[in-house]
Amino acid sequence: MVIQNKAADEIGKLNHLTQMPEKTGGGNSDMRFHVALTATDAIYSQWQSRIMYYWYKKVKDMPRSDMGKFTRILHSGKADNLMDEIPSFVVDPLPEGLDRGYIVLNRPWAFVQWLEKATIEEEYILMAEPDHIFVKPLPNLAQGNHPAGFPFFYIKPAEHEKIIRKFYPEEMGPVTNVDPIGNSPVIIKKYLLEEISPTWLNVSLRMKDDHETDKQFGWVLEMYAYAVASALHGVRHKLRKDFMLQPPWDPEVGKRFILHYTYGCDYNLKGELTYGKIGEWRFDKRSYLNGPPPKNLSLPPPGVPESVVRLVKMVNEATANIPGWDTVTRG
């Protein structure tokens, strides 16, 4: 690991990190949270970050919002061409080869560095991702020392008890103490995240080093690592299904706050989902690995769920209003 950082001498040492941090402060009525997303300087990450920041600015000061300042934590190790457009903080990536091609291992390391080096005024932090769009102003969903998290249907600690016990020993309590969440979206007190982040990094690296765990968890390994790290600190999250929707599986926006467009949306011209098969109409962020989506994307055919229509309209609004959309994020 990188030397001269508090995480450096904690790799593989979890025993002294397993107690819940002591409660600090109290009586602070300011519920504003800092919006923080980790990102790279790849074009694919850049155009998503630009859309995310556009909608953050639009809803930030609306009624019922507790949204504070914004930081893109750039873990490419150097500044990029969006520094003047998006408030950004540059941190180092993991040493070469340590992520073994699993780039999201840089996420906990990025938070460790940012929390140690940056000046963060807010008492709370929202951990977000570039492919998040704020569909409405977001209030602080956390309850004191209980962070708010989104329950993912595919994070099932109880079904993987044998693996979880490698990192969350029986003396710590039942496996059900490990929440079915990832690190994002989560609204959490800053001091709790400062305590959890080194553990999250350590657990992520240990999981990646364990062949059985790596094979079983795959691309959600780092999500499990955050859930385990939180449990090691005795931190339980308030599970909020209204935190986020994920089209095409969630057909309506409803009362939810964040739209997460991680899944491809494929439909035939009858408005029928053809998931797993490229549709006659589609929107998939992976179609734009080497350049941003064009302005004025075609709307879905009739019959497609409202959430997908809303997604395309929000992308179109952002791309129509972000200066230099067609040039800034092209390599």
Side-chain angles (χ1 to χ4, degrees):
M1 275 310 306
V2 178
I3 308 303
Q4 296 181 338
N5 189 284
K6 65 183 178 183
D9 61 357
E10 291 170 352
I11 301 291
K13 300 178 183 179
L14 293 176
N15 290 340
H16 67 292
L17 292 172
T18 57
Q19 298 302 315
M20 180 71 175
E22 293 182 6
K23 188 173 181 179
T24 62
N28 187 350
S29 60
D30 186 3
M31 296 295 287
R32 287 199 173 272
F33 54 84
H34 195 106
V35 179
L37 72 150
T38 52
T40 74
D41 61 0
I43 292 173
Y44 179 64
S45 180
Q46 287 186 329
W47 69 255
Q48 294 174 52
S49 298
R50 298 181 82 193
I51 292 174
M52 198 267 200
Y53 185 57
Y54 171 86
W55 283 102
Y56 156 82
K57 290 190 295 182
K58 184 153 186 177
V59 306
K60 174 184 178 292
D61 295 322
M62 289 183 178
R64 297 183 56 80
S65 169
D66 287 321
M67 302 166 76
K69 293 183 178 180
F70 185 103
T71 299
R72 179 184 61 140
I73 308 172
L74 186 62
H75 56 76
S76 300
K78 61 183 185 301
D80 67 359
N81 58 347
L82 296 181
M83 303 298 289
D84 293 333
E85 178 179 332
I86 304 175
S88 302
F89 191 94
V90 178
V91 297
D92 292 325
L94 288 167
E96 185 176 358
L98 195 58
D99 65 11
R100 297 179 238 12
Y102 180 50
I103 195 168
V104 292
L105 274 186
N106 285 283
R107 185 174 294 152
W109 176 226
F111 272 107
V112 167
Q113 295 174 82
W114 178 63
L115 290 164
E116 183 179 76
K117 299 175 182 178
T119 300
I120 307 161
E121 297 175 0
E122 296 86 350
E123 184 179 354
Y124 293 84
I125 291 169
L126 165 67
M127 291 187 283
E129 297 179 17
D131 60 355
H132 287 176
I133 294 177
F134 295 104
V135 294
K136 61 182 65 174
L138 179 61
N140 190 335
L141 304 178
Q143 297 182 10
N145 289 330
H146 292 288
F150 177 77
F152 289 92
F153 70 90
Y154 50 81
I155 302 296
K156 301 177 179 180
E159 292 188 9
H160 301 289
E161 181 165 3
K162 178 185 174 184
I163 292 177
I164 294 294
R165 285 303 186 194
K166 294 183 179 183
F167 312 96
Y168 186 73
E170 290 188 12
E171 58 266 27
M172 294 301 301
V175 171
T176 52
N177 286 346
V178 180
D179 293 324
I181 60 168
N183 79 289
S184 176
V186 163
I187 300 177
I188 184 171
K189 277 196 170 181
K190 180 174 61 177
Y191 87 91
L192 287 178
L193 188 57
E194 288 172 341
E195 294 291 338
I196 291 171
S197 289
T199 314
W200 173 23
L201 172 61
N202 298 338
V203 174
S204 296
L205 293 171
R206 288 181 57 199
M207 284 185 171
K208 191 65 179 175
D209 278 337
D210 185 86
H211 178 73
E212 181 186 19
T213 304
D214 188 26
K215 182 179 179 181
Q216 182 64 52
F217 288 167
W219 281 94
V220 297
L221 180 149
E222 169 267 340
M223 297 173 68
Y224 272 102
Y226 175 79
V228 168
S230 299
L232 287 168
H233 285 267
V235 175
R236 300 302 305 273
H237 295 68
K238 296 293 182 181
L239 303 181
R240 297 289 301 250
K241 290 184 178 180
D242 61 341
F243 211 152
M244 190 167 73
L245 73 146
Q246 302 185 99
W249 310 118
D250 297 309
E252 298 178 354
V253 174
K255 297 182 178 180
R256 283 167 281 198
F257 299 98
I258 292 173
L259 190 156
H260 182 209
Y261 55 99
T262 190
Y263 297 104
C265 300
D266 287 276
Y267 292 87
N268 61 29
L269 297 183
K270 297 179 181 179
E272 298 168 334
L273 183 67
T274 63
Y275 196 76
K277 177 183 178 182
I278 294 178
E280 296 172 279
W281 180 93
R282 75 179 329 224
F283 177 80
D284 188 336
K285 65 178 184 177
R286 295 161 193 84
S287 299
Y288 307 104
L289 293 173
N290 300 314
K295 295 180 179 181
N296 198 28
L297 293 168
S298 64
L299 293 178
V304 170
E306 178 244 351
S307 63
V308 179
V309 177
R310 182 76 172 273
L311 165 60
V312 176
K313 287 183 176 179
M314 295 186 82
V315 169
N316 281 345
E317 178 179 331
T319 60
N321 289 283
I322 296 174
W325 178 258
D326 293 322
T327 57
V328 173
T329 50
R330 286 199 181 276

